[in-house]
């Protein structure tokens, strides 16, 4: 009998079972090499095929033209917080929208570098529980940076900001959960460990004209041009993480059927969980503004907060794990990324109804 649970962890997060089974099957002997993928050279033909397939899958899934370069970088999404201002400012001030913990950190890094970031709008006044909608983007900004989905606060941009300057987005927790138009983007990035695979690799997509902004006087590995000219293999790349990411992308293309299908699945799952709040007569309360609720990270409180540890414990006993909110906000959070099946959302909604009936 399977011992797998429904895993609602925010990242590292659940992966498709099929992908894990494939990794298991290929672990001791990758395609007749007699070695695992993580024991062979990143310069071998076998690994080259993995990277090239991953790049091709990213391009197909996102509908990227050849104006974009796909990079697999280290240092997580957090490294992008400083790599972006280091590479792309050209002496101009960057603009940011602040919608939570991760945007705040990105702004801080631009400040540390002395780039004088301008914060155009912030939802800090209400604990980052909504997405600001009124702001004007200066025409002379280096770029506009925003966070598409706020993993900790449970809000999401359902329409993207418009600007005359290149748009840059941290998409760590909702990349490939829905289709979007890549054209306005100068760059977007996502730590893989939420929607794309394991920790250890960050997908960064950069529009080629942005590479012309990269200065010469920053360390070699921190210049986007370095990895762009070497297909992400200027140094030893995170081989195992890229291999796993490629398998997740294959699952997304071949099993799920692309991003429109992924979005439909995600809407249905999120609908199941949010309905459970709305039906509970106030027993559970979603913390995000209704129009800005995330389809990926459902954040909520119990009206009686003392019951939250009991809720989390009893859920775990029934095979629903990882429901504790981020340590900075408390409460509960269900992360329902691409790889969470509808059955997980259904099981959570059923548990919530039972728990409310028993404790209400
Ligand atoms: C998790 C997360 C990060 C941090 O990613 P690391 O890979 O740990 O650096 C950044 N931004 C968002 C939106 C996240 O969800």
């Amino acid at each position: 009998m399977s011992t797998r649970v429904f895993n609602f962890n925010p990242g590292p997060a659940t992966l498709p079972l099929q992908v894990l089974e494939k990794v298991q099957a290929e672990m001791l002997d990758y395609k007749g090499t007699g070695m695992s993928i993580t024991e062979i050279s990143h310069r071998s033909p076998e690994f080259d095929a993995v990277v090239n397939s991953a790049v091709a899958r990213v391009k197909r899934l996102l509908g990227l033209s050849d104006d974009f370069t796909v990079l697999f970088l280290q240092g997580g999404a957090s490294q992008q917080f400083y790599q972006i201002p280091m590479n792309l400012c050209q002496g101009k001030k960057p603009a940011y929208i602040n919608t939570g913990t991760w945007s705040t950190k990105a702004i801080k890094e631009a400040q540390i570098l002395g780039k004088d970031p301008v914060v155009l709008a912030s939802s800090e006044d209400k604990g980052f529980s909504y997405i600001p909608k009124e702001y004007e983007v200066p025409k002379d900004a280096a770029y506009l940076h925003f966070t598409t989905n706020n993993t900790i606060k449970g809000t999401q941009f359902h329409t993207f900001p418009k600007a005359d300057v290149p748009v840059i987005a941290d998409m760590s927790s909702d990349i490939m959960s829905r289709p979007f138009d890549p054209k306005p983007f100068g760059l977007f990035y996502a730590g893989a460990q939420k929607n794309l695979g394991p920790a250890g690799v960050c997908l960064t997509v950069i529009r080629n004209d942005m590479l012309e902004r990269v200065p010469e006087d920053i360390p070699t590995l921190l210049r986007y041009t370095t990895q762009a000219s070497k297909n992400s293999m200027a140094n030893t790349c995170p081989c195992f993480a890229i291999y796993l990411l490629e398998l997740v992308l294959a699952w997304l293309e071949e099993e799920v059927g692309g991003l429109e299908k992924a979005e439909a699945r995600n809407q249905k799952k999120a609908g199941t969980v949010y309905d459970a709040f709305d039906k509970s007569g106030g027993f559970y309360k979603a913390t995000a503004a209704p129009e800005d609720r995330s389809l990926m990270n459902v954040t909520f409180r119990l009206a009686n907060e003392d019951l939250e540890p009991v809720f989390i414990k009893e859920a775990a006993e029934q095979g629903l794990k990882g429901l504790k909110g981020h340590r900075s906000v408390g409460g509960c959070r269900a992360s329902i990324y691409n790889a969470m099946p509808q059955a997980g959302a259904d099981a959570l909604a059923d548990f919530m109804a039972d728990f409310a009936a028993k404790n209400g």
Side-chain angles (χ1 to χ4, degrees):
M1 217 185 93
S2 172
T3 52
R4 300 272 302 166
V5 299
F6 290 118
N7 171 3
F8 295 95
N9 277 308
T14 194
L15 288 167
L17 182 59
Q18 273 171 270
V19 166
L20 296 175
E21 285 170 344
K22 181 112 198 245
V23 173
Q24 190 176 43
E26 290 181 338
M27 185 53 99
L28 299 186
D29 180 3
Y30 183 72
K31 300 203 168 158
T33 58
M35 299 173 275
S36 72
I37 189 77
T38 197
E39 298 170 294
I40 64 177
S41 171
H42 58 300
R43 314 257 176 231
S44 62
E46 288 83 7
F47 192 73
D48 216 37
V50 171
V51 171
N52 290 336
S53 170
V55 169
R57 288 190 189 281
V58 169
K59 287 190 146 187
R60 278 200 300 271
L61 280 159
L62 294 172
L64 297 177
S65 71
D66 289 336
D67 294 340
F68 291 90
T69 298
V70 174
L71 301 174
F72 300 117
L73 303 178
Q74 301 194 52
S78 302
Q79 178 169 293
Q80 297 306 298
F81 296 165
Y82 55 88
Q83 199 170 357
I84 289 163
M86 270 177 135
N87 277 267
L88 305 178
C89 283
Q90 294 183 304
K92 295 189 226 163
K93 292 182 188 180
Y96 287 78
I97 301 174
N98 191 3
T99 52
T101 314
W102 297 114
S103 327
T104 303
K105 289 189 189 217
I107 293 163
K108 178 113 188 287
E109 295 298 308
Q111 271 160 353
I112 290 172
L113 289 165
K115 304 293 182 188
D116 217 0
V118 184
V119 180
L120 301 181
S122 166
S123 49
E124 196 171 4
D125 57 337
K126 290 187 185 157
F128 296 115
S129 60
Y130 70 102
I131 298 290
K133 294 170 190 82
E134 303 283 318
Y135 43 83
E136 204 150 322
V137 186
K139 290 199 187 337
D140 60 350
Y143 55 78
L144 170 68
H145 181 285
F146 74 108
T147 309
T148 50
N149 183 72
N150 300 287
T151 325
I152 295 173
K153 310 293 178 178
T155 61
Q156 187 174 26
F157 279 84
H158 293 300
T159 48
F160 289 169
K162 296 213 173 22
D164 293 327
V165 298
V167 178
I168 292 184
D170 176 358
M171 300 193 177
S172 292
S173 52
D174 69 350
I175 191 149
M176 305 233 190
S177 68
R178 55 181 170 174
F180 67 93
D181 176 11
K183 279 198 257 8
F185 287 92
L187 183 150
F188 53 92
Y189 60 100
Q193 67 272 20
K194 277 101 185 202
N195 246 334
L196 297 177
V201 63
C202 178
L203 169 67
T204 294
V205 175
I206 186 164
R207 211 174 57 211
N208 294 334
D209 61 287
M210 301 296 281
L211 292 168
E212 289 158 22
R213 297 186 177 200
V214 175
E216 286 296 317
D217 61 350
I218 53 176
T220 311
L221 269 187
L222 291 179
R223 278 182 242 142
Y224 286 120
T225 42
T226 302
Q227 295 291 18
S229 65
K230 292 280 161 44
N231 201 23
S232 302
M233 289 191 279
N235 66 329
T236 315
C237 57
C239 301
F240 191 71
I242 296 173
Y243 157 75
L244 235 164
L245 176 138
E246 196 277 332
L247 293 178
V248 172
L249 298 178
W251 170 81
L252 200 50
E253 279 198 288
E254 286 146 30
E255 286 301 314
V256 176
L259 300 193
E260 272 165 34
K261 297 259 174 61
E263 182 177 37
R265 282 168 46 117
N266 289 328
Q267 275 170 344
K268 183 158 183 234
K269 277 183 286 175
T272 302
V273 181
Y274 285 115
D275 271 358
F277 304 138
D278 299 340
K279 280 192 208 134
S280 77
F283 188 88
Y284 305 100
K285 288 196 220 136
T287 57
E291 71 278 14
D292 301 323
R293 285 174 174 180
S294 169
L295 298 189
M296 297 281 102
N297 307 99
V298 180
T299 51
F300 59 100
R301 310 263 357 183
L302 272 58
N304 176 358
E305 292 181 9
D306 293 342
L307 277 177
E308 284 169 356
V310 185
F311 173 85
I312 291 162
K313 182 169 165 283
E314 288 188 13
E317 285 163 5
Q318 301 206 15
L320 305 168
K321 291 203 179 164
L323 289 167
K324 198 166 188 303
H326 190 266
R327 61 190 183 281
S328 65
V329 291
C332 308
R333 169 175 54 177
S335 297
I336 47 174
Y337 300 120
N338 279 348
M340 174 59 66
Q342 178 64 37
D346 292 340
L348 176 60
D350 289 348
F351 173 77
M352 288 173 78
D354 289 349
F355 188 86
K358 216 165 65 185
N359 296 283

